[in-house]
Amino acid sequence: MRSRFAFGALALTASLAADLEGSQPDADPCSFSKAALQDSVAGLIVGADVLRPTEVGRDYAVHVRFNGTIGAVGPFDAIRDDYPDAAVLDCRGKAVLSPGFVNAHEHPAYSYAYPDPNLGPGYVHRDEWRFGLAGKPQLPSPTAYYYDPNGEEVRTAALVAMELRHLLGGATTIAGSGGVPGVVRNVGLHERLGDVALYDFEADVSTFPFSYRAFEDLAEECAGGPRHAFAPMDDDNLVFTAYVAHVGEGRAANCAAAREVGRFLDRAQRDERRYSMVHGVATTPAHYESMREHDVTLVWSPRSNLALYGETIDLEAALAQRVRIAIATDWSPSGSFNMREEVRCAVKVAAGAGIALADQALWRMATGNAAYALGLEGHIGAIRAGLQADLVLVKSTGADPYRTMLGARDEDMLATWIGGRIVLLSPSTTSPSIAAALSNAECASIIGATPRSCGVLDRFGWSSERFSALAAGTVALTDVRGQAPCEPSPHISPAA
């Protein structure tokens, strides 16, 4: 991904200057002024309602440096005075600017597939659906697709479509093993030579920290027998990364899931690294107290929890204990197809529990809290000087700006930057001559999406039609009708 960011705001400013010049002012939500310097070293100023952790910066601006980082954030006129030679994209009063969503938990290698027909909420522990235990139907995982530059095009296209789907849903970072270089930021461990090009940042996204068959391993202990001794974990040399592990994935009343939670929190008391618990359905108020005390973030995927187990975390208790919560999609076979859909599910779950989650709080779950869960709050997840310019610009609806960002539709997306380079650009912000204006014609329409994708299809040598054909059968880019339901369900066994 580093090669994609090498041009930074230099290429961004030049392309926007060509694209926006000559557009119709009454149709465009933004106006554009060229940089005073031909080499564009002065960067780009974006004016909009800027979302910050504690407030909305009305009539604000963000300066994007030529190296792809944020140079300054503040009132528009002050930023304009400080950087008089910069290009200016002025969308004040008509657009909202946010850090890109950080999806703190995904399975990119598998998340191209639709849910299995047997998906149902009758499981009590993840091992039941993984292995078909207790007479319940197994839900086979899709074939894992890992990027190989010399591999099958259809697999590469499935991975590109997966990442574009998340990008169109507002995410600029995905944490999880797998993915493909050149679309969004990926977070995982550098374990193979190719991982250095794939993962922009590192985190230990270990799937199961104790055992791949914890339900069976803990059966004797849960029946009143001695405490089970899991094999020692071999991650003591990874303290430079956050530990983001599946724990307590099952119903709250399930002994195996609850024992996993206890063991993980015992481990977190070492306090030698950042700890984050993925799913954590089998958590209690006592667990939440320990999580707050030891700074353990809860990575919440309500849709997947409900689709498999018919329940999710005790949200009211977690909020009462002031547990830091991040929100994430899990994967397409049982979770949300993008981050905005996961937020919608979270709102529905909260409302069903009599909780009104504030838009600002939900936004923090999808941005700063998620970056913190990965140990990356010093790089991404906020609009702050020195951080990466991973930015999403959407049309203003006149509603609360946090709500506008969380609820934006495909057609509301104006532009997305990663590392200061534009990767999505809506036709509504550009002149009709966009293709001719770009020197390498890197912005191209994508079948099934409104914004154009910049620098993605060219990277793989695909036309829009070719990409669409290769990705046929994978989860659609913007159509979410095939995703798992977000409904608490009776605790009954799924149909055989």
Side-chain angles (χ1 to χ4, degrees), residues 60-233:
Y60 255 48
V62 174
H63 174 242
V64 180
R65 300 179 64 212
F66 73 95
N67 68 352
T69 62
I70 296 171
V73 184
F76 182 88
D77 290 340
I79 299 296
R80 192 72 182 91
D81 289 344
D82 287 344
Y83 300 93
D85 296 327
V88 179
L89 181 64
D90 188 359
C91 313
R92 288 176 295 162
K94 296 182 179 179
V96 177
L97 187 69
S98 170
F101 297 149
V102 178
N103 191 346
H105 172 65
E106 245 288 0
H107 295 274
Y110 306 89
S111 202
Y112 61 87
Y114 284 96
D116 187 278
N118 282 322
L119 176 68
Y123 301 97
V124 302
H125 188 275
R126 64 168 180 263
D127 286 352
E128 286 190 332
W129 62 261
R130 290 177 62 234
F131 301 116
L133 304 179
K136 296 172 185 175
Q138 184 181 20
L139 301 177
S141 294
T143 300
Y145 287 178
Y146 290 102
Y147 176 65
D148 178 353
N150 300 311
E152 298 178 43
E153 271 194 307
V154 68
R155 293 195 173 199
T156 300
L159 294 174
V160 170
M162 177 272 299
E163 294 201 359
L164 278 174
R165 184 180 84 238
H166 282 290
L167 188 65
L168 289 160
T172 52
T173 298
I174 296 175
S177 299
V180 60
V183 188
V184 302
R185 289 193 189 277
N186 295 99
V187 178
L189 274 181
H190 292 166
E191 298 179 287
R192 309 169 189 84
L193 290 178
D195 290 343
V196 177
L198 174 59
Y199 299 125
D200 293 85
F201 301 114
E202 288 191 277
D204 184 359
V205 289
S206 173
T207 308
F208 308 133
F210 303 111
S211 167
Y212 280 89
R213 303 190 75 104
F215 186 78
E216 294 168 298
D217 290 341
L218 290 166
E220 185 178 359
E221 178 180 330
C222 286
R227 179 181 172 90
H228 177 77
F230 287 108
M233 291 185 281

Side-chain angles (χ1 to χ4, degrees), residues 164-170 338 340-341 344 392-395 404-416 424-428 446-453 476-480:
L164 278 174
R165 184 180 84 238
H166 282 290
L167 188 65
L168 289 160
N338 61 55
R340 289 195 175 99
E341 286 299 303
R344 290 187 181 98
V392 176
L393 184 71
V394 304
K395 293 177 187 176
T404 295
M405 182 58 59
L406 293 171
R409 302 163 299 173
D410 169 63
E411 56 266 32
D412 298 324
M413 299 284 286
L414 297 177
T416 299
L424 288 179
L425 187 61
S426 170
S428 67
I446 316 170
I447 296 174
T450 300
R452 292 181 173 94
S453 167
L477 295 180
T478 59
D479 186 348
V480 299

Side-chain angles (χ1 to χ4, degrees), residues 28 50 74 82 84 89 110 117 145 210 266 270 303 327 329 332 364 384 400 434 461 493:
D28 295 337
V50 177
D82 287 344
L89 181 64
Y110 306 89
Y145 287 178
F210 303 111
D266 288 343
R270 293 165 54 166
R303 186 184 301 272
I327 199 163
T329 57
S332 61
R364 282 197 298 266
R384 188 169 69 244
D400 175 86
I434 179 173
S493 297

